[in-house]
Amino acid sequence: MRTLCVLIAGVSLVSAAQASEWAQRREAARLAVEQHDYNTAARLYSESVALATTAAERESALASYGIALSSGGRNAEARPVLEQALAGATGDESGRRVVVAGTLASVDRNLGDYQSAERILRAAIGDGTASQGDRSILMVNLADMMREEARAPEAAQLLDEATRLKGLTEPQRTNILVESAELNRDLHNWDASVSAWNRIGEIAEQEHSIQFEESFTSGLGETWLAAGQTARAEPLLRRSLQLLQNDPMASDAQIAMALTLMAGVYDAENKLALACEAINEAIAKYEVALGRDHPQLAMLLQVQADILSKRGETERARAVLERARLIMTDHFGEESRAVAGVLVGMADLEQRAKRPEAAIGEYTAAMRLLSKSGADMAQYRADLATRYAAALRAAHRPDEASAVLANAQSFVSK
């Protein structure tokens, strides 16, 4: 009996020491995260997984490990860890489960698996134990992904549902406002978008928030740029890039997007050499952050191709657009709006190269893919029809050009 008591005491001492080691690793990892040293944090959290003495400790460590991997851009490694953490989270840990689900969806999106990301987000949104605030964050993330996939009506409906949630904090409501401003910009609802961005600017000033100021300057600058107001856009976008470059929390992807917007400013000002430098730097950062075959990278490639085309580098531009087309086809399918967008870029390139017949082929294919789109795309299709008709006239096919323009009027009159 005395021997058994000694053994039990020994086990207790070992367990206590192991628990102390677990706590030490966790604290060291937390400090590493504060220093944005995510690789060190991931290593320490991984060690704390092995040192866990209870299921609760292990699941907590797994969640932290997966989030640290994700924060460090190690998405492929993060995915199986986060999947384990999500599977092990119980109903009593709804807050952690929501964070893990959101991070896993972000990882899947970064890896280009949009279907999996949407499935995870929808499941988390429908989780009855999630708080209203957590649900609003997940809904905004899903709406943002839908917007990227050109699913504007679904995104708008989701944001409308999010605004009706009760008990949201000011940052959570601002998060919804930002996404609404971006959606209205995409739909060319300039007044609504500018109004929302100005409200975000007021909040940034009231809260003395650098994060909100980054969002405001970038968002309003991009809106003015898209609306053709380059002089208004430039100082805002320069400020946004400066803020992000000085922000230790800013990701490579965020800085890449700011560089892309500056490339757009230089392009509008016909400073094509500067535009090339900015977009090349942006693409390099995106490839490091998201890989070489991500849909967001494909959108940057389209910007690069347009600039190359204007510089007369037609063959390089064609090769860049073909790469973008393959990426979009792989992720969204040959009949998707995303592919239609690349085909429009190809058509514009051929028109600029004075090859109207080649341009007509690409415009025809793009218009076919967009023919089933809803009212949200009506103005875009009408604008596209004008370029299509110009190619037809250049190819000495005036009757077809007139028919295309006449048909375009039905888009905006419905």
Side-chain angles (χ1 to χ4, degrees):
M1 183 62 122
R2 184 175 180 278
T3 302
L4 180 57
C5 290
V6 170
L7 287 173
I8 291 173
V11 170
S12 298
L13 287 172
V14 170
S15 297
Q18 194 168 352
S20 176
E21 283 282 308
W22 183 86
Q24 289 173 11
R25 293 290 198 286
R26 297 274 299 176
E27 178 60 17
R30 185 187 66 78
L31 293 173
V33 168
E34 287 185 357
Q35 298 298 315
H36 315 297
D37 184 357
Y38 297 113
N39 287 332
T40 297
R43 175 179 58 79
L44 291 166
Y45 280 130
S46 175
E47 291 171 2
S48 72
V49 172
L51 289 167
T53 57
T54 67
E57 287 180 352
R58 184 175 185 278
E59 299 310 328
S60 175
L62 272 173
S64 299
Y65 178 31
I67 292 168
L69 288 170
S70 171
S71 299
R74 296 162 63 180
N75 291 296
E77 297 172 74
R79 184 187 234 172
V81 176
L82 290 166
E83 286 175 338
Q84 287 185 63
L86 186 61
T90 66
D92 296 333
E93 301 165 328
S94 59
R96 184 196 304 162
R97 188 166 65 255
V98 167
V99 172
V100 172
T103 307
L104 179 55
S106 177
V107 163
D108 279 336
R109 183 177 176 180
N110 288 339
L111 292 171
D113 191 345
Y114 282 54
Q115 288 186 340
S116 177
E118 180 169 347
R119 183 171 61 252
I120 291 165
L121 286 171
R122 287 194 180 281
I125 290 167
D127 187 336
T129 66
S131 71
Q132 297 288 278
D134 287 338
R135 189 171 285 117
S136 77
I137 293 168
L138 295 165
M139 292 170 82
V140 167
N141 290 346
L142 180 54
D144 189 67
M145 190 169 68
M146 288 174 168
R147 190 169 58 82
E148 186 180 329
E149 296 177 281
R151 296 162 60 187
E154 294 172 82
Q157 181 179 350
L158 198 61
L159 290 174
D160 184 58
E161 293 173 12
T163 60
R164 294 199 297 271
L165 295 175
K166 305 296 184 183
L168 300 185
T169 65
E170 187 65 27
Q172 288 162 352
R173 292 200 176 281
T174 304
N175 193 35
I176 297 170
L177 187 61
V178 167
E179 188 62 29
S180 297
E182 292 180 335
L183 180 61
N184 276 306
R185 180 185 61 228
D186 288 356
L187 296 175
H188 293 189
N189 297 331
W190 307 124
D191 290 345
S193 184
V194 168
S195 176
W197 287 122
N198 283 332
R199 174 61 186 138
I200 293 160
E202 293 170 1
I203 294 170
E205 187 173 357
Q206 292 166 5
E207 300 290 328
H208 305 289
S209 169
I210 294 297
Q211 183 182 6
F212 285 159
E213 186 182 356
E214 288 172 359
S215 181
F216 161 66
T217 52
S218 172
L220 183 57
E222 185 176 357
T223 300
W224 285 130
L225 182 62
Q229 301 284 333
T230 309
R232 285 180 163 182
E234 183 170 3
L236 288 161
L237 294 176
R238 285 191 183 279
R239 173 62 175 163
S240 172
L241 179 59
Q242 180 185 38
L243 287 169
L244 287 167
Q245 288 175 331
N246 293 336
D247 183 355
M249 293 294 289
S251 67
D252 281 343
Q254 287 176 299
I255 295 172
M257 186 51 64
L259 286 165
T260 301
L261 293 171
M262 282 307 305
V265 169
Y266 293 136
D267 184 8
E269 295 172 341
N270 202 33
K271 299 175 181 177
L272 297 181
L274 290 174
C276 263
E277 288 178 13
I279 196 62
N280 289 346
E281 185 179 353
I283 288 171
K285 285 185 176 295
Y286 247 113
E287 287 181 335
V288 170
L290 300 177
R292 291 181 52 82
D293 63 348
H294 195 277
Q296 291 178 24
L297 177 65
M299 290 187 281
L300 270 65
L301 292 173
Q302 292 173 73
V303 175
Q304 182 188 45
D306 188 60
I307 295 168
L308 289 170
S309 172
K310 291 174 181 175
R311 283 167 58 93
E313 300 181 54
T314 304
E315 288 305 318
R316 279 189 65 195
R318 284 195 186 104
V320 170
L321 282 173
E322 179 59 21
R323 179 184 171 191
R325 186 188 68 79
L326 290 173
I327 292 172
M328 292 303 201
T329 300
D330 183 54
H331 285 284
F332 303 121
E334 293 181 355
E335 301 294 305
S336 64
R337 287 187 186 181
V339 170
V342 181
L343 293 176
V344 171
M346 290 177 165
D348 291 343
L349 180 153
E350 298 299 351
Q351 180 74 338
R352 193 174 290 124
K354 302 188 185 307
R355 298 181 68 234
E357 291 292 351
I360 289 167
E362 303 293 0
Y363 281 132
T364 301
M367 291 293 280
R368 181 185 65 79
L369 293 181
L370 293 170
S371 63
K372 297 180 181 179
S373 57
D376 61 301
M377 296 291 289
Q379 188 58 57
Y380 177 77
R381 290 169 62 201
D383 295 341
L384 179 57
T386 302
R387 285 136 70 187
Y388 186 13
L392 287 164
R393 285 193 295 269
H396 310 292
R397 295 159 64 174
D399 292 343
E400 293 174 71
S402 297
V404 165
L405 289 174
N407 188 43
Q409 292 302 311
S410 67
F411 302 157
V412 292
S413 62
K414 289 180 179 178

